[in-house]
Amino acid sequence: YLCAQATGQAAKSARTVVITGIPDGLLHNDVMTDILMIHFQMSKNNGGDVEEVTYPTVRKGVAYVTFEDQEVVESVLKKDEHRLEDKRLSRYYPLNVTRYCENVFSSVTSVLNMSIFKDQFVLEDLIEEFKKKSTALSFGPLQSNGHISVQGSFPAIELLRDFLLLKAKSLSKKDKREESKSCQRPKRRQQQHSLTTGTSNFVRDAGGEKQVVVLDTDIYHYMKYFFPRTFLVNDDVVISDISDGDITMVYIENAGSRSDAGQVLRVKEKIENQSMKLHNALRKERIYFEEHARDEKQRYKWACESLKPHYPSVLVIPYDTHIDVIGNSSETFEFTKEM
């Protein structure tokens, strides 16, 4: 029964699209649901027969539309622009339509500390260089302490990280050349020591003594829970982690001088491969508590516990203000809807 149920859920998710940009609070939810159904049934919108419209959802301005035929999904996605128009709306609203199974870990936020580059670069110019190389990322204002927030897809932030590390590594090599010529500027050498210490986890690749993998924190939790063997190592390798919001740094290093350096690289590769598979397969729903009352949280907890046996591949992470539900697209969708 569960196997058939999972197959049916997967088929349903393949016939479902995610709609964002819906004007929130303008009309009654039933009216907006009706407008959405009409829009996606119209031939001028490349639509077809709609099986179900899920609105509202846990995210404001977001709906799920499930078609009776999967081919309609492809047709709807091909349309360049979807405009939500109806006589009950004062104007049209542009909609964004994506596949339901599309990776939900599409936006993470990271804070970069650019102060270590201030003696070598004009930070504003360096950030402009970042923006040209990383057009998929959104940069916040540069703070007086050298910090700047960056938002975008996890792979795009990883590419930016690699670019930063190359810059840092080039500075490290440059300083070593300067130190071999002169023993002046002790203050600068002290600053550089701080820089190389902060980046040594990344640049000591050749020896394989210590490596780091940067993971989305939700994916890290999912891996730890469902794939613990990924982090299972022998006594020659030590794994530690530091989580900071959306990002978790996993450090892999030799336990002793007699350890095989190749083991560290193999463990790193295993973690990276597993995380990439999950990054492409998982999605997350966040259920906010309408109130912070203890009995309400208890009801949510009870609902989670009662649903878990039917969704063995879903990870539920409770927080004070919300619950995160992480799993494949179909199970996460159905779990959240039932809850």
Side-chain angles (χ1 to χ4, degrees):
Y1 168 74
L2 289 177
C3 181
Q5 184 185 55
T7 303
Q9 290 167 355
K12 183 175 181 179
S13 69
R15 293 183 283 110
T16 302
V17 293
V18 181
I19 317 300
T20 58
I22 301 168
D24 183 66
L26 290 183
L27 300 170
H28 192 276
N29 292 335
D30 290 341
V31 176
M32 186 59 71
T33 300
D34 183 57
I35 293 175
L36 289 169
M37 180 169 288
I38 292 172
H39 175 91
F40 287 101
Q41 285 179 333
M42 296 177 70
S43 58
K44 74 171 187 176
N45 297 320
N46 295 357
D49 292 335
V50 174
E51 176 184 305
E52 181 183 25
V53 175
T54 303
Y55 183 82
T57 62
V58 292
R59 291 188 177 89
K60 290 185 177 181
V62 176
Y64 303 124
V65 176
T66 303
F67 296 97
E68 294 184 1
D69 191 340
Q70 187 176 343
E71 292 182 3
V72 180
V73 171
E74 305 303 324
S75 177
V76 164
L77 291 171
K78 287 178 181 177
K79 184 171 174 61
D80 292 333
E81 183 183 22
H82 281 273
R83 293 185 172 192
L84 191 64
E85 296 179 287
D86 190 275
K87 63 183 180 181
R88 290 165 286 187
L89 295 171
S90 59
R91 61 178 181 87
Y92 80 83
Y93 291 86
L95 300 177
N96 183 37
V97 183
T98 56
R99 296 182 190 276
Y100 180 80
C101 56
E102 191 170 58
N103 173 33
V104 82
F105 297 105
S106 57
S107 183
V108 295
T109 300
S110 183
V111 177
L112 305 180
N113 182 6
M114 304 297 297
S115 61
I116 60 175
F117 294 103
K118 66 182 179 181
D119 290 339
Q120 291 288 339
F121 301 99
V122 177
L123 294 186
E124 288 78 6
D125 293 343
L126 188 58
I127 290 169
E128 286 302 316
E129 185 179 358
F130 293 166
K131 290 180 179 179
K132 290 178 182 178
K133 287 183 175 292
S134 308
T135 55
L137 294 174
S138 175
F139 292 81
L142 178 65
Q143 305 296 322
S144 58
N145 60 0
H147 290 191
I148 184 171
S149 63
V150 184
Q151 186 176 46
S153 70
F154 192 78
I157 287 182
E158 281 190 303
L159 289 175
L160 176 61
R161 180 207 64 174
D162 293 341
F163 177 67
L164 274 170
L165 294 176
L166 286 175
K167 287 281 188 186
K169 193 172 182 179
S170 67
L171 289 182
S172 177
K173 289 180 178 179
K174 181 179 178 182
D175 270 11
K176 287 179 180 178
R177 288 195 299 268
E178 289 180 356
E179 287 174 10
S180 66
K181 296 177 183 179
S182 172
C183 294
Q184 297 177 358
R185 302 195 308 182
K187 182 179 180 181
R188 168 62 192 283
R189 287 201 302 275
Q190 184 179 1
Q191 291 174 335
Q192 184 54 45
H193 173 73
S194 175
L195 170 63
T196 54
T197 300
T199 59
S200 61
N201 303 319
F202 303 93
V203 300
R204 283 194 284 163
D205 290 354
E209 298 173 2
K210 190 173 184 179
Q211 296 288 329
V212 67
V213 182
V214 184
L215 300 177
D216 179 286
T217 297
D218 291 318
I219 289 179
Y220 174 69
H221 287 319
Y222 196 90
M223 288 175 66
K224 287 278 285 186
Y225 190 84
F226 288 107
F227 300 94
R229 292 182 64 85
T230 306
F231 302 95
L232 185 62
V233 293
N234 56 33
D235 294 336
D236 295 331
V237 178
V238 175
I239 294 181
S240 58
D241 63 81
I242 298 177
S243 293
D244 183 11
D246 294 327
I247 302 295
T248 293
M249 313 281 281
V250 178
Y251 298 94
I252 311 135
E253 57 188 314
N254 283 334
S257 58
R258 300 180 61 183
S259 302
D260 177 13
Q263 288 189 69
V264 172
L265 293 172
R266 288 192 290 272
V267 172
K268 176 189 177 186
E269 184 178 2
K270 181 171 68 171
I271 294 173
E272 286 178 331
N273 290 341
Q274 183 64 64
S275 67
M276 189 54 62
K277 290 178 183 177
L278 294 175
H279 184 87
N280 293 329
L282 296 178
R283 67 173 291 114
K284 177 175 74 175
E285 290 284 357
R286 176 163 289 177
I287 303 172
Y288 288 96
F289 299 134
E290 294 180 4
E291 301 174 359
H292 300 308
R294 183 177 178 180
D295 59 339
E296 185 198 12
K297 294 180 182 179
Q298 191 62 36
R299 286 197 301 272
Y300 274 102
K301 183 178 179 180
W302 176 86
C304 285
E305 293 300 325
S306 63
L307 286 172
K308 272 183 181 180
H310 302 289
Y311 299 91
S313 299
V314 168
L315 176 64
V316 178
I317 307 177
Y319 295 93
D320 287 339
T321 58
H322 63 275
I323 294 175
D324 283 345
V325 181
I326 304 169
N328 66 53
S329 59
S330 59
E331 287 202 345
T332 303
F333 175 63
E334 292 297 331
F335 184 99
T336 305
K337 185 177 177 182
E338 284 194 45
M339 189 175 175

